[in-house]
């Protein structure tokens, strides 16, 4: 089967911009004009464009729907002055685990795509795998810090309470690290997109 480079270009583009919506917020009052659910709308489109080339991506569709619906519901609740955080504790845990797995597997598939198309001597696939691992560790750390006390008041280690200020600093540090990694992941996807650019533009 001859790959459709135009379709691959479009799919990788949608995936790269998806992470812009996930990690950047612009608020007008209570309204975030870069809602997280748009990330999953774009990733759904990306999966549709790329699944013929990387068939494992199709397995991520149900998780993409779950995460998108949850993010959309949270956006609506926030718009109305509420939040879903902490309202459904088992569901919060399920969403956290689903998100960690979803993004881990997604970048595993992107790394496979990079390995297939990157010019000889380049190592974009290895870079994506390293960033994927760091990204996964950061998501896990945030989930661990926020799960026991969703309001961020305390975190317990070995029965001892961690002061709220320290927990806040840890979460801030993780958020900044996550932003850096997200930017690197976006740049990695834009680099992957270049492998299909010449065909897209002709």
């Amino acid at each position: 089967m001859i790959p459709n480079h135009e379709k691959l270009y479009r799919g990788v583009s949608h995936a790269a911009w998806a992470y812009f919506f996930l990690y950047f917020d612009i608020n007008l009052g209570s309204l975030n004009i870069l809602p997280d659910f748009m990330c999953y709308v774009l990733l759904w489109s990306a999966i549709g464009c790329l699944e013929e080339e990387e068939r494992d991506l199709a397995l991520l569709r149900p998780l993409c729907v779950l995460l998108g619906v949850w993010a959309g519901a949270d956006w609506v609740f926030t718009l109305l002055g509420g939040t879903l955080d902490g309202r459904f504790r088992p569901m919060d845990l399920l969403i956290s685990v689903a998100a960690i797995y979803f993004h881990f597997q997604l970048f595993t598939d992107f790394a496979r795509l990079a390995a297939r198309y990157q010019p000889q001597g380049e190592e974009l696939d290895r870079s994506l795998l390293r960033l994927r691992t760091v990204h996964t560790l950061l998501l896990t750390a945030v989930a661990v810090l926020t799960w026991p006390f969703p309001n961020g008041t305390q975190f317990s280690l070995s029965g001892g309470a961690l002061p709220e200020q320290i927990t806040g600093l840890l979460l801030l540090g993780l958020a900044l690290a996550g932003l850096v990694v997200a930017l690197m992941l976006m740049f990695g996807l834009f680099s992957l997109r270049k492998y299909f650019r010449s065909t897209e533009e002709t």
Side-chain angles (χ1 to χ4, degrees), residues 11-81:
V12 176
S13 295
H14 288 181
W17 285 114
Y19 284 90
F20 181 79
F21 282 90
L22 187 62
Y23 282 99
F24 292 88
D25 292 336
I26 298 178
N27 293 313
L28 297 177
S30 62
L31 178 65
N32 177 16
I33 63 174
L34 298 176
D36 290 356
F37 71 81
M38 281 302 302
C39 165
Y40 297 102
V41 171
L42 287 169
L43 289 177
W44 175 273
S45 174
I47 290 171
C49 291
L50 301 172
E51 61 185 349
E52 290 183 6
E53 180 70 23
E54 193 61 51
R55 296 192 181 278
D56 285 351
L57 283 169
L59 301 176
L60 296 177
R61 281 188 178 277
L63 287 181
C64 189
V65 172
L66 173 66
L67 296 170
V69 169
W70 184 263
D74 187 55
W75 184 78
V76 171
F77 267 73
T78 302
L79 186 62
L80 298 175

Side-chain angles (χ1 to χ4, degrees), residues 11 20 25 32 39 56 95-96 101-102 106 114 120 141 168 171 182 190 192 195-196 202:
F20 181 79
D25 292 336
N32 177 16
C39 165
D56 285 351
I95 292 298
S96 294
Y101 173 78
F102 176 82
L106 187 67
Q120 186 174 5
L171 289 172
F190 282 124
L192 175 59
Y195 302 153
F196 314 113
T202 56

Side-chain angles (χ1 to χ4, degrees), residues 125-140:
D125 60 327
R126 294 176 181 240
S127 176
L128 288 174
L129 289 175
R130 286 192 294 268
L131 289 169
R132 174 211 65 185
T133 300
V134 174
H135 184 249
T136 301
L137 291 173
L138 289 172
L139 288 178
T140 303

Side-chain angles (χ1 to χ4, degrees), residues 98-172:
I100 290 169
Y101 173 78
F102 176 82
H103 294 290
F104 178 90
Q105 187 58 47
L106 187 67
F107 274 96
T108 300
D109 293 334
F110 282 133
R112 289 175 185 160
L113 193 62
R116 195 172 301 131
Y117 286 98
Q118 65 191 3
Q120 186 174 5
E122 293 194 12
E123 296 187 345
L124 179 59
D125 60 327
R126 294 176 181 240
S127 176
L128 288 174
L129 289 175
R130 286 192 294 268
L131 289 169
R132 174 211 65 185
T133 300
V134 174
H135 184 249
T136 301
L137 291 173
L138 289 172
L139 288 178
T140 303
V142 170
V144 168
L145 281 172
T146 56
W147 165 247
F149 299 95
N151 293 327
T153 55
Q154 287 182 325
F155 174 67
S156 178
L157 283 174
S158 302
L162 201 61
E164 180 181 353
Q165 294 87 346
I166 296 179
T167 303
L169 287 174
L170 284 173
L171 289 172
L172 177 61

